[in-house]
Amino acid sequence: MNNDRISCKQNTHKTDLSLEIAGIAMKNPVMVASGTFGFGREYSEFIDINNLGAIVTKGLTFLPKEGNPPPRTYETPGGMLNSVGLENPGVENFIKKEMPYLNSLSIPVIVNIDGDTVNEYYKIAKRLDNVKNISALEINISCPNVKQGGMAFGQDPQNAYEVVKAVKEGTNLPIIVKLSPNVTKVEKIAEAAVSAGADAISLINTLLGMAIDIYEKKPVFYRTFAGLSGPAVKPVALRMVWQVYDAVDVPIIGMGGIFTWQDAIEFILAGASAVAVGTANFVEPQAPEKIVAGIEHYLKEQFEENIRLNDIIGLAHKANID
Amino acid sequence: MNNDRISCKQNTHKTDLSLEIAGIAMKNPVMVASGTFGFGREYSEFIDINNLGAIVTKGLTFLPKEGNPPPRTYETPGGMLNSVGLENPGVENFIKKEMPYLNSLSIPVIVNIDGDTVNEYYKIAKRLDNVKNISALEINISCPNVKQGGMAFGQDPQNAYEVVKAVKEGTNLPIIVKLSPNVTKVEKIAEAAVSAGADAISLINTLLGMAIDIYEKKPVFYRTFAGLSGPAVKPVALRMVWQVYDAVDVPIIGMGGIFTWQDAIEFILAGASAVAVGTANFVEPQAPEKIVAGIEHYLKEQFEENIRLNDIIGLAHKANID
Amino acid sequence: MAKLRFFADIVMNREIAMDIFHMKLYCPMAAKLAIPGQFLHMRCSDTLSPLLRRPISIANADERDGTLDIIYRVVGEGTRLLSAKKTGESIDIMGPLGNGYPIDQKVNRIAIIGGGIGTCPLMFLAKKLATKNSKSGNLVKHSVFLGFKTAKQSFGIEFFQSLGYDVHISTDDGSLGFKGFPTDLIQDYIFDVIYACGPKPLLAIMQAYAVRHNIMSFVSLEERMACGIGACLGCAVKMKSDGYKKVCKDGPVFELSKVIF
Amino acid sequence: MAKLRFFADIVMNREIAMDIFHMKLYCPMAAKLAIPGQFLHMRCSDTLSPLLRRPISIANADERDGTLDIIYRVVGEGTRLLSAKKTGESIDIMGPLGNGYPIDQKVNRIAIIGGGIGTCPLMFLAKKLATKNSKSGNLVKHSVFLGFKTAKQSFGIEFFQSLGYDVHISTDDGSLGFKGFPTDLIQDYIFDVIYACGPKPLLAIMQAYAVRHNIMSFVSLEERMACGIGACLGCAVKMKSDGYKKVCKDGPVFELSKVIF
Ligand SMILES: Cc1cc2nc3c(=O)[nH]c(=O)nc-3n(C[C@H](O)[C@H](O)[C@H](O)COP(=O)(O)OP(=O)(O)OC[C@H]3O[C@@H](n4cnc5c(N)ncnc54)[C@H](O)[C@@H]3O)c2cc1C
Ligand SMILES: Cc1cc2nc3c(=O)[nH]c(=O)nc-3n(C[C@H](O)[C@H](O)[C@H](O)COP(=O)(O)OP(=O)(O)OC[C@H]3O[C@@H](n4cnc5c(N)ncnc54)[C@H](O)[C@@H]3O)c2cc1C
Ligand SMILES: Cc1cc2nc3c(=O)[nH]c(=O)nc-3n(C[C@H](O)[C@H](O)[C@H](O)COP(=O)(O)O)c2cc1C
Ligand SMILES: Cc1cc2nc3c(=O)[nH]c(=O)nc-3n(C[C@H](O)[C@H](O)[C@H](O)COP(=O)(O)O)c2cc1C
Ligand code: FES
Ligand code: FES
């Protein structure tokens, strides 16, 4: 596979974690996953957000969305289910109330967008196109917790193609397409997204799961199904990153169960140019910062001087070929 | 949905756990999952196997199979990956060396079968057709750990249909079809299997996952991918049982991460007539026995007298409709 | 920028009633910041099981000796692991989190009403109110109404008494005090402000009562939490207007009249 | 039908060398059944993390006082949790499992060779061999070759000496005994039977040595395990003929000459 998916700005440090994905310049490859970090503000009491590679916002819809009735979260072995249902202030309120804070950050801001229809995706993209300080859009075609749209777009290559195409028409911003793991062949969806113009692929969104309250004798969640995330899903996420790396030539942002720097390295060796930390934030707010430090340490310990992050992306595929 | 998927033999006890699935009479709904219980002998030093509802053997191929190189197992958060690769003695050795012990048990014996080709499935089914004391065949169209066949049959409705059809031609034994969770719409595969004559559906087999050794910088497993099982996958398994229950009218055997009786009850309320315990056996050999006791206790505590297991299968679907 | 995340030393952890534990933590910074109604988001294990943190109310905080108290009931895996922790171990906490009870009202007659483990945040509240009243020279007697399942699970009674409150007790089985619910007892009195915490049925009755008598009331709510700080939108509770609020960030204390039960 | 599953009481659990712990368990039935080379399959936590059991060799068993000893190195989550267990707690074990070393050979010169934590099963073996020899009046001196990373991680030396063995020590860094590997030391001697346990490179060298000198040799192998009893086929090890064997059931002890490394 190719090594030039990301171009690294070389600097004088021995280990250079900086990279550029789809035109987004990041000082390290560790982002936070959409929906697990609000619009950033809340975690500023726990970490220095400017230490992250990039921030990804909670999913936005065109109009405000109230979200699902409680309960919205439920713990499972090694993971959790969520059914937030894309509660969000809508694109206008976002621009008015959240962008000012995001503008104050020195790191790239990636806005996660979601729609019920292809046209809604188009409209949000268009509206965000001329907003300053947005580095890229992440198209969520994989949300399992809404009545319409969401995951359905991510389960069929043709649907995925159309959404991406529409967003491309609405904006000049780089486009990251976020895939659903609830498919037979994730690489087919990735290929469709890339052929429609995706500049990068992110995966995985949550696995579709559920829980039943055995005393109430009914599903825990109002919408019956909910999204599974956390360490439990890591082996599946890693496998899908591997498959997509073999299938497409755009950079991959890997996520799903990343808790430690060792997890992050697994994703990078499998083919992810960057990683995103989701559920782990809830348990260990410093997880992203610790992961940055761990990656740096790993590079220094395991490779010769002047190694670039770039050099180890997808490295495990080569071992495999031998 | 219908209540007559299973017919319960009423007896004088207050809680009657006995049931009949696809013509297999079981004294309780707790089975063990294929590949986690060998051919039964090993666990006889830890539990009284005759207390189980039924035993399901390790997957059999027509000829002996050596299996995959080590490592074959790997622990993950709340679960494990395996890549055994269907090591088994082949159908003739099975009949000669393993059936005598299985004959000595008083519970139904279900034989799990696997093939590289449709014809191999047919041949095994035919060979086992006239072997005494086999209660049913479970067709594994979902093994992720072999080079050919296996899961590929379970990821496409047409392929699934053909395998089941062929097995039906080879045998008069009841047929359970074991589905792969690595699909976009599991209910479509279930429908295909039923239309080809499946008498019952079992699910889920393992989720396709992987792990990378960050110091060796290569995949942990020789075949790169491996199968994820254990509590981590339970929410996904439960969701799929729910979906298949809504789609087909044959009994369902639910499995995937069942550890406690509470887990088993969740599956039953979601629509499983019986459950199978897999990975949990490794950790808690008495898990199946404890689950039987727990189900009995739950029925007594939560329902009025004379409740039958039958009455609560899929119960959570009704709550949902209200 | 205060980082609200600490590794606190466990000074004490012992069973004070059936399945109810009292843990004292040494954590000067958190003790200094804490106000009644806030909670700690606690990691119960350093493994991945259980995964998420557990929210537990602050039952007391002593700024001078730098300690925080929590009182919790063992109900599942997380609280079971908490109860197994030993003096001298340290524990990973986020907090104090949430908004806390407003206590600046100039009022005469205060009622505090709690059910079971809901008593915990009310203890800290009672202490702050008592301090405030003694400072302001306000000597009006305030009332506390507490309900427990059974005598064996009761706790905190002497604490409220020692602060000078008029304490009314009920138990479901009549093994201590009135047989019934604390809401049965309160119906005879009238107050200027009510502070409540407890199971939903209790709170729903109190809501009706407060609306009927037009009493300003504050309630601390519970909901399943992931982040505990307002980032995941996981702990939604529906309000009569304004849609969903977050228990962890907008609450856990809300105006009782606004909540939909 | 013996049920090989017990809740054993922890009699002792303490660090005996850097990161190396010695745990003594009270479990009369298992102590009675155990033979050298067998292992216990231990649940390190009563939560789901870590999920699987961990195989640990039996380092000693005393039928009279009903105890078993294990010695383990803290390398990951499971062994870390083991090391945190306290006297008086109980622990869930399956065992004794596996086949054990054959010790019925009528031989004069025995070599025991171990590397690091591989020393553990050899301790129990040495004790059994010593008992057998003293019973049979066989007074030939047997040799033990042990290799450790560094002096601080060494253990068991006095144990072998007290049993009357001729003990040869090496360390990777020369901080104790010979600087190098135990395989360097053994090259000067000739034996009738060799018992080995340790890292793969050590075993591979020993295989070459044993084949060259045509010495009957037994080795205890390690492989990742799920069930530990032969049911999952997870712990495969390739043999020169006969395909894969199961370390847990067919082993962990194998004839050294038959193993493919
Ligand atoms: C703001 C707030 C303050 C609280 N204060 C106290 C207190 O002072 N003392 C006390 O004993 N308990 C208190 N609780 C309840 C306490 O959080 C739960 O009892 C605890 O999380 C149960 O965890 P577990 O692992 O033992 O139980 P499990 O049932 O195994 O927990 C499973 C999951 O459900 C969640 N959960 C279970 N019960 C509750 C609940 N009642 N509310 C919210 N989430 C729940 C857990 O956090 C966990 O994510 C408070 C809850 C909230 C939201
Ligand atoms: C038959 C047998 C006897 C053993 N006897 C001893 C002993 O007496 N003392 C001792 O310290 N160690 C012994 N080991 C190794 C011991 O099992 C591992 O060190 C231990 O499982 C590590 O668990 P962990 O959770 O601390 O490490 P982790 O690396 O976190 O474990 C992750 C997984 O890998 C497996 N694993 C890790 N290392 C090994 C290994 N070397 N062999 C097999 N599986 C491994 C674990 O069992 C677990 O499933 C023995 C292994 C076997 C197979
Ligand atoms: C509470 C919660 C809310 C989420 N909301 C969104 C969202 O709005 N948009 C989106 O694309 N993904 C959303 N996700 C998915 C995560 O971004 C991420 O893809 C997933 O959780 C897997 O990563 P993890 O295992 O590290 O959490 C959400 C996940 C959680 C747990
Ligand atoms: C080690 C191992 C071997 C397995 N072998 C088979 C097999 O031969 N045939 C089969 O149909 N399923 C096989 N499975 C899948 C299980 O039967 C079961 O479907 C899966 O593990 C999910 O259940 P669990 O989470 O309870 O383990 C195997 C699973 C494991 C862990
Ligand atoms: S728990 Fe995350 S927003 Fe309240
Ligand atoms: S560990 Fe299961 S067969 Fe050896």
Side-chain angles (χ1 to χ4, degrees), chain B residues 78-101:
Chain B
M80 63 175 281
L81 289 162
N82 92 77
S83 178
V84 169
L86 279 180
E87 173 177 337
N88 80 88
V91 73
E92 293 303 333
N93 286 319
F94 165 75
I95 293 168
K96 235 176 291 159
K97 296 188 196 152
E98 304 296 345
M99 270 314 291
Y101 171 75

Side-chain angles (χ1 to χ4, degrees), chain C:
Chain C
M1 180 172 54
K3 304 275 188 216
L4 298 177
R5 197 268 185 103
F6 306 98
F7 291 87
D9 287 331
I10 298 172
V11 178
M12 183 194 85
N13 190 23
R14 64 183 180 83
E15 196 165 0
I16 56 167
M18 203 173 84
D19 296 333
I20 312 276
F21 285 73
H22 175 189
M23 183 184 279
K24 194 182 270 297
L25 298 170
Y26 178 72
C27 191
M29 179 64 100
K32 191 176 157 164
L33 295 170
I35 62 171
Q38 288 188 306
F39 66 95
L40 301 178
H41 211 29
M42 313 187 67
R43 193 146 177 213
C44 300
S45 157
D46 56 0
T47 72
L48 296 177
S49 171
L51 183 68
L52 298 174
R53 290 170 181 267
R54 300 296 189 252
I56 305 282
S57 301
I58 298 170
N60 199 9
D62 189 325
E63 200 181 324
R64 282 163 317 163
D65 65 11
T67 61
L68 289 161
D69 296 81
I70 57 166
I71 294 174
Y72 57 96
R73 178 162 54 215
V74 173
V75 296
E77 187 78 347
T79 47
R80 182 180 71 73
L81 290 170
L82 270 192
S83 73
K85 301 235 179 246
K86 306 250 169 14
T87 301
E89 291 182 43
S90 82
I91 187 161
D92 176 353
I93 61 173
M94 290 165 69
L97 302 177
N99 58 356
Y101 286 102
I103 57 170
D104 293 328
Q105 290 72 18
K106 297 231 178 316
V107 290
N108 281 320
R109 295 161 304 173
I110 294 177
I112 290 177
I113 179 162
I117 208 72
T119 303
C120 307
L122 300 173
M123 293 171 74
F124 190 19
L125 174 73
K127 201 185 83 170
K128 280 278 163 172
L129 286 172
T131 316
K132 185 187 149 214
N133 287 338
S134 71
K135 273 192 197 138
S136 66
N138 184 339
L139 291 174
V140 175
K141 250 197 155 171
H142 300 318
S143 295
V144 173
F145 302 86
L146 301 177
F148 299 99
K149 275 233 172 68
T150 179
K152 275 190 194 158
Q153 292 184 3
S154 69
F155 63 92
I157 300 170
E158 301 79 11
F159 180 86
F160 289 103
Q161 285 167 340
S162 72
L163 290 171
Y165 288 85
D166 191 15
V167 182
H168 307 257
I169 305 293
S170 67
T171 48
D172 298 5
D173 63 359
S175 54
L176 188 73
F178 176 78
K179 178 170 178 355
F181 305 107
T183 43
D184 299 331
L185 297 173
I186 205 169
Q187 309 282 351
D188 307 335
Y189 302 81
I190 282 298
F191 301 93
D192 300 316
V193 60
I194 297 176
Y195 296 105
C197 187
K200 276 193 186 146
L202 181 150
L203 301 180
I205 295 174
M206 285 312 296
Q207 188 178 53
Y209 177 78
V211 168
R212 197 161 59 241
H213 299 286
N214 194 23
I215 306 172
M216 176 166 51
S217 304
F218 300 98
V219 64
S220 174
L221 298 180
E222 293 187 2
E223 192 45 72
R224 288 172 182 274
M225 291 185 182
C227 71
I229 63 168
C232 75
L233 310 182
C235 60
V237 56
K238 187 100 175 189
M239 293 292 144
K240 288 188 173 153
S241 56
D242 248 19
Y244 289 108
K245 292 279 179 189
K246 289 164 279 192
V247 169
C248 68
K249 184 88 181 178
D250 304 319
V253 177
F254 295 93
E255 276 184 57
L256 181 52
S257 60
K258 299 195 172 162
V259 180
I260 300 179
F261 287 106

Side-chain angles (χ1 to χ4, degrees), chain D residues 225-235 246 248:
Chain D
M225 292 185 182
C227 71
I229 63 169
C232 74
L233 311 180
C235 59
K246 291 165 279 194
C248 69

Side-chain angles (χ1 to χ4, degrees), chain B residues 30-199:
Chain B
V30 183
M31 324 186 343
V32 286
S34 175
T36 67
F37 212 76
F39 297 104
R41 226 187 296 257
E42 294 80 9
Y43 274 104
S44 65
E45 281 184 304
F46 297 90
I47 63 166
D48 186 347
I49 294 175
N50 286 323
N51 288 339
L52 298 174
I55 184 172
V56 184
T57 68
K58 172 71 193 164
L60 277 190
T61 49
F62 195 72
L63 296 177
K65 215 181 180 89
E66 195 176 48
N68 291 337
R72 290 180 173 183
T73 62
Y74 188 81
E75 183 159 340
T76 68
M80 63 175 281
L81 289 162
N82 92 77
S83 178
V84 169
L86 279 180
E87 173 177 337
N88 80 88
V91 73
E92 293 303 333
N93 286 319
F94 165 75
I95 293 168
K96 235 176 291 159
K97 296 188 196 152
E98 304 296 345
M99 270 314 291
Y101 171 75
L102 292 169
N103 278 336
S104 75
L105 298 175
S106 65
I107 57 170
V109 172
I110 298 168
V111 179
N112 182 279
I113 64 170
D114 207 295
D116 287 349
T117 60
V118 172
N119 188 45
E120 186 179 347
Y121 281 101
Y122 168 79
K123 276 175 15 193
I124 309 172
K126 185 146 184 85
R127 180 65 187 92
L128 291 171
D129 186 43
N130 59 357
V131 175
K132 263 205 288 196
N133 284 325
I134 295 179
S135 295
L137 302 184
E138 181 178 55
I139 318 182
N140 179 3
I141 54 169
S142 43
C143 182
N145 297 324
V146 287
K147 225 169 156 181
Q148 297 172 295
M151 197 170 73
F153 291 116
Q155 289 188 315
D156 178 86
Q158 186 57 32
N159 290 351
Y161 181 90
E162 276 163 29
V163 171
V164 177
K165 200 86 194 160
V167 170
K168 267 281 170 193
E169 272 162 33
T171 182
N172 289 312
L173 286 168
I175 298 290
I176 303 161
V177 179
K178 183 159 177 183
L179 303 187
S180 169
N182 303 296
V183 294
T184 308
K185 290 189 189 300
V186 70
E187 64 276 19
K188 296 289 169 216
I189 316 290
E191 285 166 3
V194 170
S195 72
D199 300 292

